[in-house]
Amino acid sequence: MQQLLWAILLFVFSQNSVAFDPLDPFGNITIKWDVISWTPDGYVALVTMNNFQMYRHIMTPGWTLGWNWAKKEVIWSMVGAQTTEQGDCSKFKGGNVPHCCKRDPVVVDLLPGVPYNQQIANCCKGGVVSSYGQDPSAAVSAFQVSVGLAGTSNKTVKLPKNFTLLAPGPGYTCGPATIVPSTVYWTKDRRRKTQALMTWNVTCTYSQFLVSKHPSCCVSFSSFYNETITPCPSCSCGCHNKDKCIKSGSKRATSVGVNTPRKDNEPLLQCTHHMCPIRVHWHVKQNYKDYWRVKLAVTNFNYRLNYTQWTLVAQHPNLNNVTQVFSFDYKPLVPYQSINDTAMFYGMKFYNDLLMEAGPFGNVQSEVLLQKDKNTFTFKQGWAFPRKVYFNGDECMLPPPEAYPSLPNDAKIEAITISAIVASVIWLIHLFIW
Ligand SMILES: *[C@@H]1O[C@H](CO)[C@@H](O)[C@H](O)[C@H]1NC(C)=O
Ligand SMILES: *[C@@H]1O[C@H](CO)[C@@H](O)[C@H](O)[C@H]1NC(C)=O
Ligand SMILES: *[C@@H]1O[C@H](CO)[C@@H](O)[C@H](O)[C@H]1NC(C)=O
Ligand SMILES: *[C@@H]1O[C@H](CO)[C@@H](O)[C@H](O)[C@H]1NC(C)=O
Ligand SMILES: *[C@@H]1O[C@H](CO)[C@@H](O)[C@H](O)[C@H]1NC(C)=O
Ligand SMILES: *[C@@H]1O[C@H](CO)[C@@H](O)[C@H](O)[C@H]1NC(C)=O
Ligand SMILES: *[C@@H]1O[C@H](CO)[C@@H](O)[C@H](O)[C@H]1NC(C)=O
Ligand SMILES: *[C@@H]1O[C@H](CO)[C@@H](O)[C@H](O)[C@H]1NC(C)=O
């Protein structure tokens, strides 16, 4: 029944949108322009970027927003952000030179710690925006722009066109700006409301396939009931970088400069057979009468990147009965009211929300205790393994079903629970060596 529902939902949604994520069907980034005043030659707008995606955040080096002016507009000034180039402002004589004269301005956030007179609320975070599921209050970024040589009323103003969003890399497609009902602002005591003079919205959606034809993470499995460790499929993330990778423990892996990020964010990977920057490991650790326990580990194989505010999403039918999650923060995701099988995990602030670069500290781990639903629970046929796994909003490659650790024939689970200890040891070795 559930499978059928999923199939129908998938079909319905995939018909009308390319960038559709079944685990976050309503996720998008919305950019809203509120005109807050008209000026003699244009307007002042408050631009707010809201990340409505449950588990896809914008990490360092942050967002870059571009658009094309419809006419010959210029940007007189900005607060809380800046354009990356001024462009040719030579026709402006005298003291008053615009901040940017380009027809296609490209805007970036300011870094934290700029003087107060250059800040506005929700600005100056180096372009880092949290996912909505992780922290709704930090899932917003804003700046103010003063536009000149533009329309000066809601009849003459022309909306900017061709919005582009890098967050920080490619993947987002933005729709056209559309006029929406003016934003309403309430005073603090909620006794008076004011409204923007005019508001338009732009919606941007994410598609993993615009980034790369290969996944960016893979999943490996193990269990207490079978000694086999099911590795990530070979070349999960494409083996095109194989000649540039670094052998773990080699001289080069510990040399100075390996960890220096590059301007183009090109990764420098540790050599593995999967060649993924991220591996997620799902270990079925223990079996109790009414509960079972899963161990989760995420390993970073990129020497040049620390993952800040990382997120992990897993889909499994028993995630409707999570009893306890150790050392990760956890939130159930229920995009379709009737199906509760998806969980989002993320690091605890100041404890493990930073997944360090490849090396001895490049991993984070947790355990999840689940209550069995007696009608569906089984260790047979790989049921105990996840159906889908996402890291930072990108879907990870799973092993093929025939490779899953299988239950030994007619063995009693209770009897082999003892071997859980052995399996854990193997698992630990696996974590540090592979
Ligand atoms: C964008 O996301 C919000 C919040 O989930 C949703 O209400 C809105 O309909 C979405 N917009 C589009 C165009 O999908
Ligand atoms: C415009 O964007 C804001 C968020 O920035 C959202 O609350 C509002 O619903 C959007 N309006 C429409 C019509 O999509
Ligand atoms: C927007 O992009 C399209 C296609 O890239 C281009 O033809 C058009 O001129 C652009 N619009 C503006 C106002 O630059
Ligand atoms: C433009 O402003 C006039 C009044 O100044 C208002 O009646 C009208 O609804 C506004 N139109 C839009 C599209 O906001
Ligand atoms: C990762 O973070 C640590 C601690 O903040 C820092 O020392 C290291 O240089 C960072 N590595 C990269 C690749 O940015
Ligand atoms: C979904 O399952 C989680 C984990 O047991 C639970 O906390 C949450 O209340 C459930 N949500 C719904 C809507 O059933
Ligand atoms: C969790 O499992 C218990 C025991 O099987 C069951 O009674 C309960 O309804 C389950 N909760 C959910 C949200 O499915
Ligand atoms: C463990 O799982 C593998 C892969 O499914 C299977 O080939 C093997 O027979 C299993 N081992 C035992 C002892 O059942």
Side-chain angles (χ1 to χ4, degrees):
M1 184 59 206
Q2 233 180 43
Q3 270 83 357
L4 184 69
L5 242 159
W6 268 110
I8 294 170
L9 279 168
L10 269 172
F11 180 76
V12 169
F13 281 103
S14 59
Q15 291 304 294
N16 48 31
S17 148
V18 219
F20 173 70
D21 179 348
L23 300 188
D24 189 13
F26 311 109
N28 64 57
I29 293 182
T30 301
I31 300 152
K32 183 180 65 158
W33 289 53
D34 288 317
V35 175
I36 50 177
S37 63
W38 301 110
T39 58
D41 74 334
Y43 57 89
V44 177
L46 177 64
V47 181
T48 312
M49 186 188 292
N50 277 98
N51 183 6
F52 290 122
Q53 300 177 107
M54 289 309 288
Y55 44 78
R56 197 172 294 112
H57 63 306
I58 304 178
M59 61 177 228
T60 49
W63 54 262
T64 302
L65 180 67
W67 65 83
N68 288 2
W69 290 120
K71 294 192 293 183
K72 298 213 172 341
E73 291 88 340
V74 295
I75 298 175
W76 281 116
S77 63
M78 287 186 108
V79 186
Q82 63 185 1
T83 62
T84 55
E85 280 182 67
Q86 185 182 30
D88 179 8
C89 292
S90 58
K91 66 176 183 182
F92 292 86
K93 306 262 155 42
N96 219 357
V97 180
H99 175 78
C100 176
C101 301
K102 284 182 74 83
R103 291 218 48 208
D104 53 347
V106 171
V107 175
V108 293
D109 195 10
L110 298 179
L111 298 176
V114 295
Y116 283 111
N117 63 359
Q118 293 172 31
Q119 294 186 15
I120 62 161
N122 296 314
C123 85
C124 315
K125 302 189 282 191
V128 172
V129 182
S130 169
S131 67
Y132 197 79
Q134 197 166 349
D135 185 359
S137 69
V140 55
S141 197
F143 60 88
Q144 189 177 299
V145 59
S146 171
V147 183
L149 307 187
T152 54
S153 78
N154 68 8
K155 303 246 159 32
T156 54
V157 71
K158 289 273 185 291
L159 309 190
K161 293 180 167 36
N162 289 359
F163 278 85
T164 54
L165 176 66
L166 299 176
Y172 287 90
T173 313
C174 300
T178 49
I179 295 173
V180 298
S182 296
T183 304
V184 171
Y185 304 98
W186 286 92
T187 56
K188 268 235 169 70
D189 57 8
R190 292 191 72 84
R191 279 155 53 85
R192 174 182 151 77
K193 64 178 178 181
T194 56
Q195 66 180 67
L197 301 171
M198 187 179 181
T199 300
W200 60 83
N201 270 10
V202 177
T203 302
C204 306
T205 51
Y206 183 79
S207 168
Q208 192 175 338
F209 303 105
L210 291 177
V211 182
S212 161
K213 61 180 197 291
H214 299 292
S216 55
C217 50
C218 65
V219 186
S220 56
F221 293 150
S222 58
S223 66
F224 69 84
Y225 54 77
N226 184 322
E227 292 183 358
T228 310
I229 292 167
T230 306
C232 283
S234 289
C235 299
S236 290
C237 301
C239 277
H240 48 282
N241 278 330
K242 194 125 206 175
D243 50 334
K244 285 185 222 140
C245 69
I246 293 189
K247 291 208 172 60
S248 133
S250 69
K251 229 181 196 165
R252 196 162 159 231
T254 50
S255 63
V256 187
V258 227
N259 300 127
T260 313
R262 286 243 308 245
K263 222 175 182 158
D264 59 4
N265 292 316
E266 184 163 307
L268 180 59
L269 297 183
Q270 183 178 315
C271 298
T272 54
H273 68 281
H274 50 75
M275 288 302 285
C276 289
I278 290 290
R279 183 191 63 205
V280 178
H281 188 81
W282 177 288
H283 174 63
V284 178
K285 188 181 174 188
Q286 230 155 339
N287 181 37
Y288 310 98
K289 187 161 158 284
D290 297 321
Y291 298 89
W292 59 298
R293 188 188 281 261
V294 168
K295 184 158 184 167
L296 289 171
V298 186
T299 309
N300 183 0
F301 292 102
N302 185 354
Y303 284 100
R304 287 202 192 124
L305 186 61
N306 284 334
Y307 289 89
T308 54
Q309 293 179 32
W310 56 269
T311 62
L312 179 68
V313 170
Q315 188 186 18
H316 186 282
N318 211 164
L319 286 170
N320 66 345
N321 234 329
V322 172
T323 304
Q324 201 176 352
V325 176
F326 303 87
S327 55
F328 283 175
D329 275 330
Y330 155 79
K331 204 170 257 179
L333 296 179
V334 194
Y336 313 101
Q337 294 310 316
S338 57
I339 310 174
N340 187 4
D341 64 355
T342 307
M344 164 175 170
F345 303 97
Y346 49 100
M348 290 178 170
K349 234 177 190 152
F350 308 119
Y351 173 57
N352 56 6
D353 60 339
L354 174 73
L355 172 55
M356 290 270 280
E357 65 210 17
F361 308 110
N363 69 82
V364 287
Q365 309 179 26
S366 156
E367 292 191 7
V368 181
L369 190 63
L370 300 132
Q371 187 177 2
K372 292 178 184 172
D373 176 347
K374 293 272 156 53
N375 297 320
T376 53
F377 183 83
T378 175
F379 283 120
K380 285 190 190 130
Q381 287 165 343
W383 188 87
F385 295 102
R387 311 299 185 260
K388 270 182 198 285
V389 172
Y390 285 52
F391 180 79
N392 274 3
D394 279 338
E395 189 169 354
C396 305
M397 174 91 117
L398 295 170
E402 66 273 13
Y404 284 27
S406 63
L407 203 56
N409 287 341
D410 58 45
K412 286 218 165 62
I413 288 292
E414 285 77 16
I416 46 176
T417 303
I418 306 143
S419 73
I421 302 151
V422 181
S424 298
V425 173
I426 297 172
W427 185 82
L428 262 173
I429 296 167
H430 160 80
L431 184 73
F432 288 107
I433 292 181
W434 281 7

